[in-house]
């Protein structure tokens, strides 16, 4: 009986320790050049190991560019109009990597499932990020962005964030 109870407790502790929060990015279509717009599913996942994952679903699509990169951006209250004209270097961001790249070997296509995983930089508070931003570095040009609901204790109740930006499990009573 003790082994069964211990097994059940360990199962629940394990489940909570790998718990994560997921947000879907929406409202893409912010570029005046329609072919640059992003379509399809883009999911942001906050993991318990102080990392953020980004998944571009199998229906994801954008125009190919010389080096289209994806970022999480802290819009810091800027309007969507202002964000479109602000260079990525002037925005608080976390870079995930290349989404598409013409001329790259191997070629990185503009569609298909891609998953990225990055650590949250020290000193950054993931709760401040609210946009998934696509940007072409070679042309220093805005590509598209979508919004997602920032992670907070209210919508991500399995996790809490301490002052050192380390993710910790909240107290769980079994």
């Amino acid at each position: 009986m003790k082994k069964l109870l211990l097994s059940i407790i360990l199962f629940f502790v394990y489940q909570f320790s790998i718990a994560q929060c997921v947000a879907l990015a929406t409202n893409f279509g912010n570029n005046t050049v329609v072919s640059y717009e992003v379509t399809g599913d883009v999911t942001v996942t906050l993991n318990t190991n102080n990392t953020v994952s980004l998944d571009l679903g199998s229906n994801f699509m954008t125009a190919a560019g010389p080096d289209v990169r994806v970022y999480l951006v802290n819009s810091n209250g800027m309007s969507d109009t202002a964000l479109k004209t602000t260079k990525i270097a002037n925005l608080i961001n976390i870079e995930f990597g290349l989404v598409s790249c013409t001329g790259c070997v191997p070629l990185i296509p503009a569609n298909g499932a891609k998953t990225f995983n990055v650590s949250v930089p020290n000193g950054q508070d993931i709760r401040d990020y609210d946009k998934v931003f696509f940007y072409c570095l070679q042309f220093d040009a805005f590509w598209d962005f979508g919004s997602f609901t920032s992670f907070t204790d209210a919508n991500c109740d399995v996790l809490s964030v301490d002052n050192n930006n380390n993710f910790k499990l909240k107290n769980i009573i079994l």
Side-chain angles (χ1 to χ4, degrees):
M1 182 66 172
K2 285 183 180 180
K3 286 183 180 180
L4 177 61
L5 182 58
L6 180 59
S7 296
I8 292 170
I9 290 171
L10 289 175
F11 172 77
F12 281 109
V13 168
Y14 174 75
Q15 289 299 315
F16 284 116
S17 69
I18 61 168
Q20 47 192 324
C21 300
V22 179
L24 183 64
T26 59
N27 300 320
F28 288 101
N30 295 289
N31 198 316
T32 55
V33 180
V34 176
S35 64
Y36 289 178
E37 292 179 350
V38 167
T39 60
D41 295 329
V42 178
T43 306
V44 182
T45 304
L46 177 60
N47 304 300
T48 59
N49 63 352
N50 202 31
T51 64
V52 178
S53 300
L54 188 77
D55 180 56
L56 308 178
S58 61
N59 63 348
F60 173 85
M61 181 65 84
T62 190
D67 66 345
V68 179
R69 297 170 190 265
V70 63
Y71 303 81
L72 283 190
V73 167
N74 171 351
S75 68
N76 205 22
M78 291 177 73
S79 71
D80 288 354
T81 303
L83 280 172
K84 289 190 242 183
T85 59
T86 303
K87 299 197 179 295
I88 193 67
N90 296 329
L91 295 170
I92 300 168
N93 69 74
I94 299 172
E95 182 178 346
F96 283 99
L98 285 169
V99 172
S100 71
C101 181
T102 53
C104 292
V105 177
L107 176 69
I108 300 173
N111 63 348
K114 311 241 184 320
T115 302
F116 302 87
N117 192 49
V118 297
S119 294
V120 177
N122 288 336
Q124 295 297 315
D125 189 342
I126 195 64
R127 296 175 293 183
D128 296 333
Y129 291 83
D130 59 350
K131 303 287 185 194
V132 175
F133 212 85
F134 294 85
Y135 200 85
C136 177
L137 276 185
Q138 182 172 340
F139 296 133
D140 205 10
F142 166 74
W143 212 256
D144 201 355
F145 67 80
S147 303
F148 67 96
T149 302
S150 299
F151 297 110
T152 66
D153 291 345
N155 67 9
C156 189
D157 62 6
V158 175
L159 303 175
S160 66
V161 181
D162 69 13
N163 290 334
N164 295 322
N165 202 32
N166 294 317
F167 299 101
K168 296 184 176 180
L169 293 175
K170 289 185 175 182
N171 294 331
I172 301 169
I173 300 172
L174 297 176

